[in-house]
């Protein structure tokens, strides 16, 4: 923070421009660097080089805004939001397969403009004007329990007034009573324009990647939820999609503005909303699994990289309030299994296996020839 403030002000002061600084001061976050920044800002303000406004933040969490009486928090409903092309749809699809693998049924509500989830699953239904027949859905789930992932589409723009929002929330409530899990795919516009509906989710996942613009969008959504007075402690989580080469590396200034790295290498958000943070490292194998799923309907969760599946499992445990650790005995066994599977698939190892097979064939042929010659000689 000290480095950013000093460099930015040093640059701006040389331009002879009016500088207005608004600082939200939280005494609980104070350290030596912040104190030095405060000394600098006060000195510049005293000499009228900047105009400084300090807002002292209350130590108490903001009181939750009074929401409409018909909005109820649903225990098995989870929202995924964030900027476009950050991996929300892929993650929801993989997580749905993981839930299926564990014997659970899943309903996906797609509020995005392009309804990308329809590319991942075949059971597609429109939520608008839908007459949800509970008995029919339960019977269908009973017959196909192992493979049930149903997608319900609804564009956020159709929620034009409170009446439409009420009908929508009632539909979600009915769906949540039928399925084990309800995952809602909501883009950034839904978070801005229809933020009240997020109150029905037990947990909200904010998905973003390493692009500076996406990081800024994530910050804006966090501030929007804070402005609404949401009690975000334990309810909002950040999911950070990163390419493998960027994994465990905070290099961008934008990243440093909202994250710091803990001693256990986990990211901690500096926006004080008590968020849990998950990192999902992408790889070529994971991307290939997602593409194959779209084109050939093959499994995502069983073909992604080990690190992606492990983090998806962390999120599953977090959803179900199951304690998890960074590395446990099961992780070590799974990692070892994945590691050796990777080795066996390597081209060099495959070539060795081929050569060994050829050698074994030569030995067998040699034995046959030797046996034939010995037999001939005896005759």
């Amino acid at each position: 923070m000290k480095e950013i403030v000093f460099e930015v002000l040093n640059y701006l002061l040389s331009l002879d421009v009016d500088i207005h600084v608004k600082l939200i001061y939280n005494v609980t976050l104070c350290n030596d660097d912040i104190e030095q920044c405060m000394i600098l800002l006060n000195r510049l303000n005293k000499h009228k080089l900047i105009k400084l406004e300090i807002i002292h933040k209350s130590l108490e969490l903001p009181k939750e805004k009074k929401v409409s009486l018909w909005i109820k928090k649903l225990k098995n409903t989870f929202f995924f939001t964030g900027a476009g092309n950050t991996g929300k749809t892929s993650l929801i699809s993989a997580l749905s397969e993981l839930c299926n693998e564990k014997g659970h049924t899943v309903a996906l509500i797609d509020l995005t403009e392009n309804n990308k989830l329809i590319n991942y699953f075949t059971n597609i239904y429109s939520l608008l004007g839908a007459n949800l027949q509970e008995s029919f859905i339960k019977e269908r789930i009973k017959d196909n329990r192992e493979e049930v992932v149903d997608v319900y589409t609804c564009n956020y723009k159709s929620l034009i007034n409170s009446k439409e929002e009420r009908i929508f929330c009632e539909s979600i409530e009915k769906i949540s009573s039928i399925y084990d899990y309800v995952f809602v795919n909501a883009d950034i516009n839904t978070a801005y324009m229809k933020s009240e509906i997020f109150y029905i989710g037990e947990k909200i996942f904010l998905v973003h990647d390493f692009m500076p613009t996406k990081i800024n969008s994530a910050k804006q959504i966090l501030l929007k939820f804070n402005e609404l007075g949401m009690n975000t402690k334990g309810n909002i989580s950040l999911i950070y999609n990163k390419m493998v080469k960027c994994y465990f590396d905070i290099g961008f200034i934008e990243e440093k503005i909202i994250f710091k790295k803990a001693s256990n290498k986990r990211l901690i958000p500096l926006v004080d909303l008590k968020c849990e943070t998950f990192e999902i490292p992408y790889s070529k194998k994971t991307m290939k699994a997602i593409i194959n799923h779209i084109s050939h309907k093959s499994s995502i969760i069983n073909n992604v990289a080990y690190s992606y599946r492990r983090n998806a499992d962390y999120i599953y445990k977090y959803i179900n309030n199951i304690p998890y650790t960074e590395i446990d005995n099961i992780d070590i066994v799974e990692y070892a299994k994945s590691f050796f599977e990777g080795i066996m698939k390597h081209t060099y190892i495959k070539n060795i296996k081929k050569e060994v097979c050829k050698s074994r064939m030569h030995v067998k042929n040699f034995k046959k020839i030797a046996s034939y010659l010995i037999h001939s000689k005896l005759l």
Side-chain angles (χ1 to χ4, degrees):
M1 180 177 177
K2 176 185 168 184
E3 182 183 343
I4 293 168
V5 171
F6 276 54
E7 285 193 12
V8 169
L9 288 174
N10 185 53
Y11 174 75
L12 292 176
L13 287 167
S14 66
L15 299 177
D16 191 25
V17 294
D18 293 333
I19 304 171
H20 298 261
V21 179
K22 182 181 286 188
L23 176 70
I24 301 174
Y25 187 72
N26 188 341
V27 69
T28 61
L29 298 178
C30 281
N31 57 36
D32 290 340
D33 284 349
I34 292 175
E35 287 303 319
Q36 287 186 39
C37 289
M38 292 299 297
I39 291 168
L40 172 67
L41 293 172
N42 282 310
R43 188 178 296 163
L44 293 173
N45 185 56
K46 180 181 177 181
H47 293 288
K48 297 183 179 179
L49 294 171
I50 66 170
K51 185 176 180 181
L52 178 64
E53 179 186 353
I54 301 177
I55 301 168
H56 292 278
K57 185 173 180 180
S58 171
L59 298 180
E60 297 179 2
L61 285 168
K63 293 181 180 179
E64 286 199 22
K65 178 185 172 184
K66 287 186 178 179
V67 296
S68 304
L69 295 174
W70 41 266
I71 291 185
K72 300 175 183 177
K73 192 175 285 294
L74 305 173
K75 287 294 182 183
N76 62 340
T77 300
F78 307 92
F79 278 77
F80 291 78
T81 189
N85 298 316
T86 51
K88 294 189 300 295
T89 310
S90 303
L91 182 61
I92 291 170
S93 301
L95 196 57
S96 299
E97 284 191 5
L98 183 62
C99 291
N100 260 185
E101 199 176 73
K102 296 178 184 290
H104 305 298
T105 57
V106 181
L108 305 180
I109 314 297
D110 197 335
L111 297 178
T112 61
E113 200 162 348
N114 297 320
N115 295 139
K116 288 185 178 179
L117 280 170
I118 64 176
N119 296 320
Y120 290 76
F121 299 98
T122 54
N123 299 338
I124 316 294
Y125 308 93
S126 175
L127 196 62
L128 289 175
N131 181 17
L132 297 170
Q133 298 178 28
E134 190 171 333
S135 58
F136 170 74
I137 295 174
K138 282 186 175 179
E139 195 64 34
R140 179 161 50 81
I141 290 173
K142 185 179 177 182
D143 293 339
N144 306 286
R145 186 169 181 84
E146 292 181 0
E147 299 178 355
V148 172
V149 176
D150 292 335
V151 180
Y152 295 88
T153 60
C154 175
N155 195 308
Y156 79 94
K157 290 180 180 178
S158 63
L159 308 178
I160 53 179
N161 52 43
S162 58
K163 181 184 176 182
E164 294 295 335
E165 288 180 13
R166 180 172 183 170
I167 293 170
F168 170 79
C169 289
E170 287 174 352
S171 298
I172 300 297
E173 187 177 356
K174 185 174 283 189
I175 288 172
S176 73
S177 68
I178 300 169
Y179 295 85
D180 296 324
Y181 298 98
V182 179
F183 297 144
V184 184
N185 189 17
D187 54 24
I188 194 168
N189 292 319
T190 311
Y192 286 153
M193 308 301 294
K194 299 295 174 182
S195 49
E196 194 174 44
I197 66 173
F198 283 80
Y199 279 100
I200 67 176
E202 182 182 351
K203 290 182 173 69
I204 300 168
F205 294 94
L206 177 51
V207 186
H208 62 104
D209 61 23
F210 62 94
M211 296 298 290
T213 52
K214 307 294 178 60
I215 291 171
N216 186 54
S217 296
K219 182 180 176 183
Q220 295 304 317
I221 293 174
L222 285 173
L223 293 174
K224 176 69 176 177
F225 289 150
N226 194 35
E227 180 189 322
L228 287 170
M230 282 187 178
N231 183 356
T232 52
K233 186 176 180 181
N235 296 333
I236 296 182
S237 303
L238 299 173
I239 298 179
Y240 195 7
N241 277 336
K242 299 189 77 172
M243 302 304 289
V244 169
K245 65 179 180 180
C246 301
Y247 194 41
F248 291 148
D249 174 40
I250 302 181
F252 295 108
I253 287 177
E254 288 84 0
E255 288 181 303
K256 291 178 180 178
I257 289 173
I258 53 174
F259 289 122
K260 68 177 180 179
K261 183 73 73 174
S263 57
N264 62 356
K265 293 188 176 181
R266 275 194 171 279
L267 290 178
I268 300 174
L270 295 177
V271 178
D272 188 21
L273 293 180
K274 312 297 181 187
C275 296
E276 182 76 24
T277 303
F278 300 91
E279 286 181 274
I280 303 287
Y282 266 77
S283 67
K284 288 182 180 179
K285 184 178 180 182
T286 299
M287 296 304 297
K288 185 178 178 181
I290 291 167
I291 292 166
N292 284 341
H293 177 86
I294 295 172
S295 57
H296 305 298
K297 300 301 176 188
S298 61
S299 168
I300 295 178
I301 199 66
N302 291 317
N303 293 303
V304 291
Y306 166 77
S307 55
Y308 188 95
R309 183 183 172 96
R310 183 190 64 181
N311 282 279
D313 193 55
Y314 285 166
I315 294 170
Y316 172 83
K317 289 178 179 178
Y318 175 72
I319 283 173
N320 291 280
N321 299 313
I322 301 171
Y324 62 89
T325 56
E326 276 296 303
I327 298 177
D328 53 27
N329 292 333
I330 296 173
D331 278 340
I332 293 170
V333 171
E334 288 296 322
Y335 178 77
K337 183 180 175 183
S338 175
F339 177 76
F340 284 113
E341 281 179 357
I343 289 177
M344 296 308 290
K345 290 178 182 177
H346 197 281
T347 306
Y348 181 72
I349 299 297
K350 284 182 179 179
N351 290 337
I352 291 176
K353 285 170 71 178
K354 284 180 182 177
E355 292 300 322
V356 170
C357 288
K358 284 181 182 178
S359 299
R360 287 178 66 185
M361 288 298 295
H362 288 317
V363 170
K364 282 183 179 180
N365 291 335
F366 177 77
K367 284 182 178 179
K368 285 180 181 178
I369 293 168
S371 176
Y372 175 76
L373 291 172
I374 293 167
H375 183 70
S376 299
K377 192 174 181 181
L378 289 172
L379 288 176

